[in-house]
Amino acid sequence: MSLLLRSALLFVAMGFCCGVYGQDSTPVQADAWSTIHVSTKFVVLDAEVENKKTGNLIGTLKPDDFVLSEDGVPQQITYFSHDQLPLSVIFLFDLTQSVRPALASLGGGAREVLGHLKPQDEVAVMVFSSHAELLQGFTTDRSLAADAIGKASSMKTGEGTFIHESMYEAVDEAMKSTAPGSRKVLVWLTDGTANQENSRTRKIMGKEAPAYSHTKEEATASLLRSGVVVSALIDRTAETDAVMVAFFFVAHMGDIRKYADLTGGPVLNTSKKEVADRLAELIDQLRGRYTLGYKPTNVKPDGTFCKLELRLRPDTYAKLPEKQDVVVRTRTGYFR
């Protein structure tokens, strides 16, 4: 199923709680018993707007405050919402050696932040190294989620971080969400390091990796087709710096940030004492996003990648307090 069709179906599902908008931008109310036929292609994206200096969200904007384009062609926003959508959250714990000193505090913060979620939010728990492993599927039972988080924070591995394979598997799991109309998000709890994924590193630190490891290109394509938002809480330990020095030829930083940038998701840094507060902040940022929808005006064949650009109108800045320096985060594009 293409992202456009999934987006259209999501748009319809969301219509029951926040109104479906037709081509003339007029609200069309849907009820639980009506049958809605999707006959047009519709793209739905979500966006975060924040003060670049303080990180505070800006939640007072209207549709006319945004300028949206696809492949450089302006698009008319015909659906707009700032509703607090339920979240389908996967917490992913990095089990590799450099994160081990921070794993207990990351687990404690994640258990604490379960109380910050809303009753309708669902949670899944995974761990990752040379591949990802599911410990708990999506559930609204906080005790099940807490037990899985506790298990994750006590696990160990001698494997390396194959982030592209882990991303591919995590996106696949996120698409198994059971909450209609929810925002699917991945929250990576990590130090931000990753290892090169090749035949040499597989022999040394990828013995538990699958026979075929998905490439960066495959993981990226899967992510951009899914509509999943990538975010991360990064705790860089002393061991992180040691590993970067000792294994500089196979270790590097930045992959998880690049994936987050593709989806417009937030990445926050933390220390052991701040984990719960920073995770709560991350959840609030994921929840407080705008949802926008439009019908593309340019015709392209299925499978084509379309580049998106979302920004504020110049005159919108004048309405913001003290003409704030604002950043708009959204996905960079999608596949038709």
Side-chain angles (χ1 to χ4, degrees):
M1 185 185 296
S2 69
L3 175 61
L4 279 167
L5 181 54
R6 283 198 299 268
S7 298
L9 293 174
L10 170 61
F11 173 71
V12 170
M14 289 165 49
F16 176 62
C17 61
C18 42
V20 177
Y21 281 69
Q23 295 181 33
D24 59 356
S25 300
T26 302
V28 180
Q29 295 301 321
D31 59 71
W33 305 106
S34 63
T35 300
I36 302 175
H37 298 281
V38 179
S39 58
T40 59
K41 291 184 176 180
F42 203 87
V43 179
V44 176
L45 63 149
D46 60 307
E48 175 183 317
V49 185
E50 66 177 39
N51 183 308
K52 190 174 182 179
K53 183 177 181 180
T54 65
N56 294 332
L57 296 183
I58 298 173
T60 58
L61 301 174
K62 306 298 181 185
D64 291 343
D65 291 320
F66 291 90
V67 177
L68 173 65
S69 64
E70 178 181 299
D71 292 332
V73 179
Q75 305 293 320
Q76 181 182 4
I77 298 171
T78 54
Y79 175 82
F80 183 86
S81 172
H82 197 207
D83 290 344
Q84 300 286 299
L85 297 178
L87 300 178
S88 294
V89 182
I90 299 183
F91 289 116
L92 291 118
F93 290 87
D94 189 337
L95 296 185
T96 52
Q97 182 178 350
S98 58
V99 184
R100 198 166 296 164
L103 197 53
S105 61
L106 290 172
R111 284 195 299 271
E112 187 174 336
V113 88
L114 291 176
H116 189 72
L117 297 173
K118 295 186 177 181
Q120 63 268 35
D121 295 333
E122 58 179 2
V123 175
V125 180
M126 301 183 77
V127 293
F128 71 97
S129 53
S130 61
H131 65 290
E133 178 184 347
L134 180 68
L135 300 186
Q136 173 62 55
F138 281 113
T139 180
T140 56
D141 187 327
R142 300 298 183 242
S143 63
L144 291 178
D147 288 346
I149 290 170
K151 180 179 179 180
S153 60
S154 64
M155 294 175 68
K156 296 180 180 180
T157 183
E159 298 284 274
T161 306
F162 290 5
I163 193 64
H164 307 311
E165 174 60 29
S166 296
M167 181 64 68
Y168 188 95
E169 295 180 20
V171 170
D172 184 62
E173 196 62 41
M175 299 311 294
K176 299 175 184 177
S177 163
T178 60
S182 66
R183 178 168 294 137
K184 302 174 181 64
V185 299
L186 305 177
V187 178
W188 298 77
L189 300 140
T190 178
D191 65 349
T193 61
N195 298 108
Q196 295 179 17
E197 301 177 27
N198 53 44
S199 58
R200 181 183 179 186
T201 55
R202 283 177 63 88
K203 291 180 180 178
I204 299 172
M205 59 185 71
K207 296 178 181 179
E208 298 177 10
Y212 175 79
S213 291
H214 291 89
T215 65
K216 175 183 177 181
E217 291 72 23
E218 289 172 324
T220 298
S222 176
L223 176 63
L224 291 177
R225 287 189 176 99
S226 70
V228 172
V229 178
V230 173
S231 65
L233 188 69
I234 294 180
D235 188 347
R236 184 163 177 163
T237 68
E239 283 73 8
T240 302
D241 297 328
V243 166
M244 290 298 295
V245 172
F247 300 97
F248 67 93
F249 54 94
V250 294
H252 55 271
M253 302 282 292
D255 284 343
I256 198 66
R257 288 184 181 272
K258 292 176 182 178
Y259 277 118
D261 287 344
L262 285 174
T263 67
V267 176
L268 301 181
N269 295 316
T270 190
S271 64
K272 290 183 179 180
K273 296 181 180 179
E274 300 177 319
V275 171
D277 289 340
R278 297 294 272 171
L279 261 181
E281 181 181 347
L282 193 70
I283 294 296
D284 288 342
Q285 289 189 16
L286 290 165
R287 194 187 303 279
R289 296 164 76 88
Y290 294 93
T291 304
L292 305 92
Y294 70 99
K295 180 184 176 184
T297 57
N298 37 353
V299 178
K300 292 188 177 182
D302 290 345
T304 302
F305 179 76
C306 301
K307 184 178 180 180
L308 296 176
E309 182 182 9
L310 183 68
R311 54 187 173 83
L312 299 185
R313 294 186 183 278
D315 57 352
T316 297
Y317 289 93
K319 299 187 296 184
L320 299 176
E322 301 178 359
K323 298 183 179 180
Q324 297 172 342
D325 188 7
V326 171
V327 58
V328 179
R329 304 186 193 278
T330 191
R331 63 181 50 256
T332 58
Y334 70 96
F335 285 95
R336 289 202 177 177

